[in-house]
């Protein structure tokens, strides 16, 4: 079951202040800004002042990134497995080395080190639009904000020699390359086989109250949002529903795991393995 998304004051990280602090080897110290109005279209991802940052961050991640949504002090991937959680075709600056990758509270967070964070921010302002991720006018206190390719909100923050990327939305991860073909996802997110529609991997759906149709292509689907109406075409490896009051229809699935409450999954063919740990959940099979 998902907790409500974070709603706390915003940390004013002006780009100049951040880049100046990064060149000095430490996070910026800047006064907090006034939170955006409720009418803003980018209210899903926000930052907090340093005093409100997480008490602990994943091992190796600078404390200055503690306000980045999606971080968890327990679990998570590292190295290339962390980078593989980024969306397909998401650009990476030269020399990026994965520190942490994970999902918490509906957000996917990936942190990596780079030789020069100032150069990394300049790289992203140029490379993101070219890769299909338009820059967002409101980055909510982070140096860079972006959308695109199913992403409802994305932000990039920096601290020390680390870059943190936080994403809300629905996207296919870079690691979703076909296991049967033997292809491997590169750090930049494109399968080495060059395929445009990768199979397997993971599809994460984090937004709330959204009608959505996705091709499953033998992927594992993590449904983390609430009150979604999702149609999954084809066959899924597994469907994991941790949100509440979701309705899912799928062609077939190897397994269905329900940990949220009041969820309903309809599997049109086959007999999946079913695990239910939430309340009032239902799995219907054809």
């Amino acid at each position: 079951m998902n907790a409500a998304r974070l709603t706390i004051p915003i940390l004013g990280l002006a780009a100049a202040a951040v880049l100046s602090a990064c060149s000095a080897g430490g996070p910026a110290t800047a006064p907090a800004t006034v939170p955006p109005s409720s009418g803003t279209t980018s209210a899903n991802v926000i930052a907090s002042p340093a005093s409100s940052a997480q008490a602990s961050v994943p091992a190796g991640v600078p404390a200055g990134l503690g306000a980045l949504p999606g971080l968890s002090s327990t679990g998570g991937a590292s190295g290339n497995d962390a980078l593989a959680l980024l969306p397909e075709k998401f650009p990476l600056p030269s020399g990026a080395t994965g520190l942490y990758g994970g999902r918490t509270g509906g957000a996917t967070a990936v942190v990596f080190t780079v030789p020069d964070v100032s150069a990394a921010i300049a790289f992203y302002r140029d490379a993101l639009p070219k890769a299909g991720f338009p820059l967002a006018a409101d980055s909510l206190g982070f140096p860079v904000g972006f959308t695109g390719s199913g992403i409802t909100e994305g932000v990039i923050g920096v601290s020390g020699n680390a870059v943190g990327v936080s994403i809300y939305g629905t996207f296919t991860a870079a690691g979703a390359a076909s296991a049967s073909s033997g292809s491997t996802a590169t750090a930049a997110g494109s399968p080495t086989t060059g395929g445009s529609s990768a199979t397997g991997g993971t599809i994460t759906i984090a937004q709330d109250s959204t009608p959505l149709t996705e091709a499953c292509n033998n992927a594992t689907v993590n449904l983390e949002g609430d009150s979604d109406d999702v149609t999954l075409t084809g066959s899924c490896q597994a469907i994991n529903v941790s949100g509440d009051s979701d309705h899912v229809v799928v062609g077939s699935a190897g397994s269905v795991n329900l940990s949220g409450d009041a969820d309903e999954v309809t599997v049109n063919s086959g007999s999946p393995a079913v695990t239910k740990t939430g309340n009032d959940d239902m799995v219907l099979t054809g």
Side-chain angles (χ1 to χ4, degrees):
M1 176 168 57
N2 283 353
R5 287 182 181 163
L6 196 61
T7 305
I8 48 182
I10 292 176
L11 172 63
L13 293 178
V18 171
L19 297 183
S20 172
C22 291
S23 63
T29 301
T33 60
V34 177
S37 66
S38 58
T40 182
T41 58
S42 342
N44 287 331
V45 176
I46 61 178
S48 67
S51 60
S52 299
Q54 294 177 2
S56 60
V57 294
V61 174
L65 289 176
L68 194 73
L71 294 179
S72 172
S73 59
T74 59
S78 60
N80 288 336
D81 289 339
L83 299 178
L85 294 178
L86 289 167
E88 285 184 312
K89 300 182 181 179
F90 194 87
L92 279 174
S94 177
T97 301
L99 277 181
Y100 168 86
R103 300 184 180 93
T104 300
T108 296
V110 175
V111 180
F112 50 88
T113 59
V114 292
D116 185 339
V117 291
S118 298
I121 291 299
F123 165 82
Y124 273 120
R125 288 182 176 140
D126 176 67
L128 283 173
K130 294 178 181 178
F133 303 92
L135 298 182
D138 184 3
S139 63
L140 299 174
F142 291 97
V144 177
F146 62 92
T147 58
S149 299
I151 296 169
T152 57
E153 183 69 43
V155 294
I156 296 175
V158 295
S159 179
N161 68 333
V163 176
V165 182
S166 178
I167 300 170
Y168 281 113
T170 303
F171 58 91
T172 300
S178 173
S180 60
S181 68
S183 62
T184 316
T186 66
S190 300
T192 56
T193 56
S196 58
S197 58
T199 61
T202 302
I203 298 173
T204 299
I205 302 171
Q207 66 261 47
D208 298 328
S209 305
T210 302
L212 183 70
T213 299
E214 285 283 333
C216 212
N217 293 329
N218 204 37
T220 294
V221 178
N222 297 320
L223 179 51
E224 301 173 352
D226 298 328
S227 303
D228 291 316
D229 190 352
V230 178
T231 299
L232 300 169
T233 61
S235 177
C236 299
Q237 177 107 9
I239 300 173
N240 304 315
V241 183
S242 57
D244 297 331
S245 303
D246 293 312
H247 181 266
V248 181
V249 176
V250 61
S252 64
S255 65
V256 177
N257 306 296
L258 304 178
S259 58
D261 297 329
D263 296 311
E264 180 180 308
V265 176
T266 300
V267 183
N268 289 328
S269 65
S271 300
V274 175
T275 302
K276 294 188 290 184
T277 57
N279 298 313
D280 300 320
D281 292 322
M282 181 181 299
V283 177
L284 305 175
T285 56

